[in-house]
Amino acid sequence: MRTDKRRIQTAVLGDADSDEPLMLPMEAIELDAFRRHYEGDTFWCGTLLGGCGGQLTTKLYTDKIYHFAHYADPDGLPHLCGRHARGVNSADHLYVKSAAAAWLGNRGEEAHFEYARPGGAPLGSVVDVRWPRGALRVHLDHAVTPEWDTGIEPVLALAVPVDRDTLIRRWYVHRIRLDSDGTMRRVRIGTEAFARDTEWFTLDDCQMTERGLTTPAVERIIQSRTTAPPARWPAAKAKKEPDVDARAQVLLRQLAHARKVDAVVVVNRVCREIADLTGASTATQTELDGAVREAHQWVREQSDVRRELFERLDEAVTDGRIQQARELLVRANATAAHDRTEDEDRVAGAAAVLVAARIRAERTAQKASDLTAWAAASRVRRVLNDLRGRGRRHMSKATLHSHARLLAEEAAKAGKHLTAAQHREVERWVRRSSNAQNGVVPAAPARPADKGPASLKPGTAAGAGPAKPPVNTVTVWVWKDRYGGLRAADDQTRPEASVRHVPLPNDTGPLQRLYGNLTRMITEREAADGPCTPTAAR
């Protein structure tokens, strides 16, 4: 068997919020048929898969196994997607919902599905299936520990462990697996019992009874437990029956826990089991009777709470208070998802539509904001690359200011899509532009009266502004060209030039005459307001 190395193996059909999963076939000839079948459809990195919501395309290669791939970004940068699960089983929760909805629909049951995330579990770890006559919690991995005796029957993937005591106490547990079949994943239900091999069945072989989910193996297990074995040996001493008082204490603990989590269905079931319990001691029976009375009173109070909950939910939907409707709907689904009336179903359905519309609007706005930020980040990177190549010394002040302003605007839009180093580089270019516009340049230190000529290196004082040139000096502007040669001018024609106050010598000689000629040339040029050239100097 060849190793499947596709990057993205599952997608959803139609739009980013779709719950209709797809899986690419393994063979190239099957991919051609797949493309023809879905010629008018679109594939997406669905949000219910934990994807980015971007559109996908199919990739066919001759040198490696093909896969779904994101379309390239408009600016040519690699597409970034935070989706973690990309294998063939990454859409199993969607296949489970699709299969369970079809199975229950064929039996006249309308089910509600929820991709629960208790304790912050990854999306797709758990699928809750509820309908008026029952409920299942499908565990597709071991991220969430199964809970027994809560009114919701667990169905476990192969990777979810079950201890021996649980198998013995419950007689059996149900397993689930999904097998690849072309572009589909087929659901199989297995029944595991202590000291028995797991038997597997299709959903069509399963039924929902008073015991819950039932397979043909369940009937055989129950029959083996309830039918006395043939007598081969003399009858042994009858086993001691479980202590009734101990069983009563277990029921009391289950009743208290069910009330704590607002599980009305479990409270009613435990109350019925307590009513069927016989043989308890007088003290234990008194404790049971008191607990049942309190439970019945609690159930009546929960009915009032439930009515008030749906009234508040209806008001929130009518007034358009989406956030409140979202919070109340979560509470209603958690505590009042069973035995709903038509009016409660209507209110919950309207709230779900309203919340779904807001979620879609928020996702659309977030996508638009992300696209804008990515485009701004791309522009910032291009400008920074251009500035690094050109350097500040070979730009006019106007060009530098234009680039710095663009960097500041686009960096504000890009936000977290730029690295900290890129933000710091943008700030440095903005500061350079501001200094060039304000004429902030290094100044030479003043020469003490009793010292020799001042150093030619510039000096600046914070907030002091441009320093006045010392007496008996010549002011020139100096810069280096691209080859490292030193250039000078008598006025500031380049933004990277720095000012120098060159002191005149105090003694006589050729050097004094050179400085004197330079001073006279600059003075004449300033008086005539004309250019100073080497010819004029001669």
Side-chain angles (χ1 to χ4, degrees):
M1 294 180 61
R2 60 180 177 178
T3 304
D4 191 346
K5 297 180 180 179
R6 289 176 290 174
R7 293 177 59 194
I8 301 178
Q9 299 172 264
T10 58
V12 294
L13 185 66
D15 60 67
D17 298 323
S18 170
D19 61 356
E20 186 174 352
L22 285 173
M23 184 180 70
L24 279 179
M26 291 294 298
E27 302 297 333
I29 188 172
E30 294 177 352
L31 179 60
D32 292 335
F34 177 88
R35 286 173 167 174
R36 288 193 299 270
H37 181 75
Y38 294 104
E39 183 177 1
D41 296 307
T42 54
F43 314 119
W44 299 81
C45 187
T47 55
L48 291 178
L49 298 176
C52 63
Q55 189 172 354
L56 302 175
T57 184
T58 55
K59 292 288 188 180
L60 175 61
Y61 298 96
T62 58
D63 58 341
K64 57 183 177 180
I65 297 177
Y66 40 85
H67 54 264
F68 284 113
H70 291 89
Y71 280 97
D73 285 352
D75 55 10
L77 294 175
H79 184 89
L80 298 181
C81 176
R83 178 177 170 184
H84 297 290
R86 302 187 175 194
V88 293
N89 61 344
S90 59
D92 280 356
H93 54 297
L94 302 184
Y95 283 114
V96 167
K97 175 187 175 181
S98 177
W103 177 63
L104 291 170
N106 291 336
R107 288 156 177 76
E109 301 283 2
E110 183 177 357
H112 298 277
F113 298 87
E114 181 181 358
Y115 304 115
R117 304 182 66 180
L123 177 65
S125 294
V126 173
V127 181
D128 285 343
V129 187
R130 301 176 186 269
W131 64 98
R133 296 194 302 122
L136 299 174
R137 166 162 282 190
V138 181
H139 295 259
L140 294 174
D141 57 33
H142 52 75
V144 179
T145 303
E147 295 182 2
W148 311 97
D149 303 322
T150 62
I152 303 178
E153 183 176 3
V155 181
L156 313 178
L158 292 174
V160 181
V162 177
D163 60 273
R164 188 183 70 165
D165 292 340
T166 299
L167 280 176
I168 295 174
R169 177 173 61 86
R170 294 183 57 83
W171 293 10
Y172 61 87
V173 297
H174 288 305
R175 295 283 188 179
I176 187 172
R177 80 180 190 209
L178 287 90
D179 301 328
S180 298
D181 182 7
T183 61
M184 297 294 294
R185 297 274 283 172
R186 304 297 181 186
V187 174
R188 297 290 185 271
I189 300 297
T191 301
E192 179 183 358
F194 180 68
R196 284 174 176 261
D197 293 332
T198 303
E199 299 182 59
W200 294 96
F201 307 92
T202 66
L203 275 175
D204 292 335
D205 296 327
C206 303
Q207 299 292 332
M208 288 303 304
T209 66
E210 293 181 356
R211 290 182 176 272
L213 181 61
T214 303
T215 67
V218 170
E219 301 298 334
R220 293 192 288 270
I221 293 171
I222 293 175
Q223 186 177 6
S224 68
R225 290 294 189 102
T226 56
T227 303
R232 295 183 180 180
W233 307 97
K237 183 178 179 181
K239 292 183 179 180
K240 183 179 180 180
E241 292 293 329
D243 184 58
V244 177
D245 288 351
R247 173 60 180 163
Q249 294 301 321
V250 172
L251 292 175
L252 287 172
R253 287 195 296 271
Q254 292 179 354
L255 186 62
H257 178 71
R259 288 181 57 181
K260 184 177 180 180
V261 298
D262 295 336
V264 177
V265 174
V266 180
V267 169
N268 289 328
R269 178 178 61 78
V270 175
C271 286
R272 290 194 297 269
E273 293 183 12
I274 291 176
D276 295 337
L277 189 67
T278 58
S281 64
T282 303
T284 301
Q285 189 63 48
T286 301
E287 186 178 2
L288 290 174
D289 293 341
V292 169
R293 284 195 301 272
E294 293 179 359
H296 288 163
Q297 177 63 30
W298 178 83
V299 169
R300 287 191 294 271
E301 294 174 354
Q302 289 301 109
S303 298
D304 296 335
V305 172
R306 176 172 178 153
R307 183 175 59 256
E308 181 183 357
L309 172 62
F310 279 95
E311 288 176 355
R312 292 176 58 197
L313 181 59
D314 193 16
E315 292 176 358
V317 172
T318 303
D319 297 341
R321 300 192 299 270
I322 299 177
Q323 183 59 34
Q324 184 181 7
R326 179 183 295 184
E327 296 172 356
L328 293 174
L329 180 61
V330 171
R331 181 180 172 189
N333 288 336
T335 63
H338 61 281
D339 300 332
R340 284 181 178 173
T341 64
E342 292 184 1
D343 189 55
E344 289 175 343
D345 275 336
R346 176 190 60 80
V347 173
V353 170
L354 181 65
V355 171
R358 167 55 67 88
I359 292 175
R360 285 195 296 271
E362 291 176 351
R363 287 174 178 169
T364 301
Q366 184 62 43
K367 290 176 185 177
S369 176
D370 288 343
L371 287 175
T372 301
W374 272 112
S378 176
R379 286 190 289 271
V380 169
R381 287 190 285 268
R382 286 198 296 268
V383 173
L384 288 177
N385 288 334
D386 180 57
L387 289 173
R388 295 188 199 108
R390 297 174 59 181
R392 190 185 68 169
R393 294 176 177 174
H394 307 296
M395 277 186 291
S396 66
K397 288 191 292 184
T399 301
L400 177 61
H401 179 66
S402 175
H403 281 59
R405 183 174 59 185
L406 178 61
L407 284 175
E409 294 174 354
E410 297 302 320
K413 297 176 185 177
K416 64 181 181 180
H417 296 287
L418 290 178
T419 64
Q422 289 170 337
H423 277 292
R424 289 193 296 268
E425 188 174 1
V426 169
E427 292 174 359
R428 286 197 297 270
W429 283 106
V430 171
R431 284 198 300 271
R432 291 174 182 175
S433 172
S434 177
N435 290 341
Q437 289 291 316
N438 297 331
V440 177
V441 293
R447 185 182 60 179
D450 57 346
K451 299 293 182 181
S455 172
L456 295 181
K457 293 186 178 181
T460 56
K468 293 183 179 180
V471 180
N472 202 22
T473 60
V474 177
T475 302
V476 293
W477 298 86
V478 182
W479 72 95
K480 287 185 179 180
D481 60 18
R482 67 179 65 187
Y483 305 106
L486 190 63
R487 303 293 180 179
D490 59 339
D491 60 352
Q492 187 181 14
T493 59
R494 305 179 66 91
E496 67 270 23
S498 59
V499 68
R500 296 291 188 272
H501 303 295
V502 183
L504 293 176
N506 296 322
D507 58 345
T508 61
L511 188 59
Q512 185 221 5
R513 289 195 299 271
L514 173 62
Y515 278 104
N517 291 336
L518 179 60
T519 305
R520 185 174 62 257
M521 178 188 68
I522 294 174
T523 304
E524 292 175 354
R525 181 208 182 267
E526 291 176 348
D529 195 19
C532 183
T533 64
T535 303
R538 288 195 298 270

